[in-house]
Amino acid sequence: MLGLTTIMNRRRTKQREAILAVLGNASDHPTADQTYEEVRKQLPRISKGTVYRGLRVLEEDGVVKELSLPGTVSRFDATVRPHYHFRCDRCGRVFDLDQPVIEELDARVAKRTGYKVTHHELEFRGLCRECQWRSL
Amino acid sequence: MLGLTTIMNRRRTKQREAILAVLGNASDHPTADQTYEEVRKQLPRISKGTVYRGLRVLEEDGVVKELSLPGTVSRFDATVRPHYHFRCDRCGRVFDLDQPVIEELDARVAKRTGYKVTHHELEFRGLCRECQWRSL
DNA sequence: TTAGGTGCAAAACCTTTGCCATCCC
DNA sequence: GGGATGGCAAAGGTTTTGCACCTAA
């Protein structure tokens, strides 16, 4: 689960450049599929596989970031009361934190942006206790 | 995208109770599939569909919460510099915020938990400007 | 020349759905 | 009885992968 730095010579290709250009120009944050559709306007013969691979590569190189969470599975929580989480980047487990929720953040963002803010989700990342041993 | 409250008489069934029990006892936050495997120890004939439906129902009723993000598609961001996001619950778009990142949170959590905290992801939720009109 | 990349299609995954039998209220 | 559910299997949608053919370095 840890993003190990791959030792590999990356080649500069028009496909990956097109992907990066699309992401750079987009103000919202395109999904892989939206990126594919956009790139296709420049490179009609590009395939979905290439876009997915390209995004993955760009992310490994730190050029692009995947939002929210890696992987596609949802996780469920029986605790409904608002609280924050910690996700271990190695084992993937998610733990509850009893850190107090900072309510005033919502109002601050609302005032600055004009969005109606109902709540926020805060997730800390790193290594849990068990995985800290195993990691070195 | 907004969770409308469904008007429906919910029945109390052993399947849904088993699902809830599993979620209640788990300290990490099981995925739907992990929940299924766990429930199956009690109810070997339960189906995946029932677990998925059960989780959905429990979530609608506010008994259970789905973590992190609704939907399964990943979104990509060409801005690597740490920053927060706002996600509109109606149109699903994700916007960057220029709210300053609160660095000290990481250290605070690390001290309290013993986890090694590398960073955090903060996402505000609500309605964007456009969707506030449309919503009433 | 050659390791890394691309296209294409199939496979793998996760989640939702349709259908019909079943179970409660 | 009749609406709410469950089991099963098929369908849907997203992402990954195997493989033969390219191509940048």
Side-chain angles (χ1 to χ4, degrees):
Chain A
M1 221 116 190
L2 264 187
L4 307 176
T5 312
T6 316
I7 304 100
M8 189 178 276
N9 300 320
R10 290 270 138 82
R11 213 176 270 174
R12 151 179 287 250
T13 68
K14 56 174 182 285
Q15 288 87 342
R16 292 216 280 241
E17 268 170 16
I19 293 170
L20 194 50
V22 166
L23 255 40
N25 291 332
S27 64
D28 56 350
H29 299 279
T31 62
D33 200 66
Q34 289 167 342
T35 306
Y36 166 67
E37 290 300 342
E38 199 59 32
V39 170
R40 210 141 70 107
K41 293 177 184 169
Q42 304 303 319
L43 304 173
R45 296 190 49 78
I46 197 173
S47 72
K48 259 186 186 170
T50 299
V51 173
Y52 276 96
R53 266 181 303 224
L55 288 168
R56 196 60 55 224
V57 163
L58 291 171
E59 204 211 2
E60 280 169 17
D61 294 356
V63 182
V64 145
K65 208 166 158 315
E66 184 176 6
L67 299 191
S68 290
L69 87 166
T72 61
V73 286
S74 299
R75 288 175 174 276
F76 294 86
D77 193 337
T79 309
V80 181
R81 171 185 57 78
H83 61 282
Y84 297 148
H85 291 108
F86 174 85
R87 184 188 300 255
C88 178
D89 282 321
R90 176 176 285 266
C91 66
R93 284 185 297 173
V94 177
F95 303 90
D96 286 339
L97 299 177
D98 56 5
Q99 217 68 200
V101 171
I102 312 171
E103 312 271 11
E104 59 269 30
L105 285 180
D106 295 345
R108 205 180 303 166
V109 169
K111 171 172 272 184
R112 274 168 79 146
T113 60
Y115 302 144
K116 177 173 183 181
V117 182
T118 57
H119 66 293
H120 61 264
E121 304 279 351
L122 175 50
E123 181 174 287
F124 294 86
R125 295 291 199 78
L127 294 178
C128 70
R129 286 182 287 259
E130 285 90 331
C131 288
Q132 285 177 55
W133 311 137
R134 252 164 285 171
S135 68
L136 24 111
Chain B
M1 219 117 191
L2 269 184
L4 306 176
T5 312
T6 317
I7 305 99
M8 190 178 275
N9 299 322
R10 290 272 140 81
R11 215 177 268 172
R12 151 181 285 251
T13 69
K14 55 175 184 288
Q15 287 87 343
R16 298 225 265 253
E17 267 170 17
I19 293 170
L20 194 51
V22 166
L23 255 42
N25 292 332
S27 64
D28 57 351
H29 297 279
T31 62
D33 201 66
Q34 289 167 341
T35 307
Y36 167 67
E37 290 300 343
E38 200 59 32
V39 170
R40 211 141 70 106
K41 294 178 185 169
Q42 304 303 321
L43 304 173
R45 296 191 47 77
I46 197 172
S47 72
K48 259 188 185 167
T50 299
V51 173
Y52 275 97
R53 265 183 302 224
L55 288 168
R56 200 56 58 221
V57 164
L58 290 170
E59 204 211 0
E60 280 171 18
D61 294 355
V63 182
V64 146
K65 209 166 155 316
E66 184 176 5
L67 299 190
S68 290
L69 90 166
T72 60
V73 286
S74 299
R75 288 173 174 279
F76 295 86
D77 193 338
T79 308
V80 180
R81 170 187 57 77
H83 60 280
Y84 297 147
H85 291 109
F86 174 84
R87 183 188 301 254
C88 178
D89 282 321
R90 175 175 287 263
C91 67
R93 284 185 298 175
V94 177
F95 304 90
D96 285 339
L97 298 178
D98 57 4
Q99 217 70 200
V101 171
I102 312 171
E103 313 271 10
E104 59 268 29
L105 285 180
D106 295 345
R108 204 180 304 168
V109 169
K111 171 172 270 184
R112 273 169 79 146
T113 60
Y115 302 143
K116 177 172 184 184
V117 181
T118 58
H119 67 292
H120 62 264
E121 304 279 352
L122 175 50
E123 182 175 288
F124 293 86
R125 296 290 198 79
L127 294 177
C128 71
R129 285 183 288 260
E130 287 88 332
C131 286
Q132 286 176 53
W133 311 139
R134 252 165 286 170
S135 68
L136 25 111

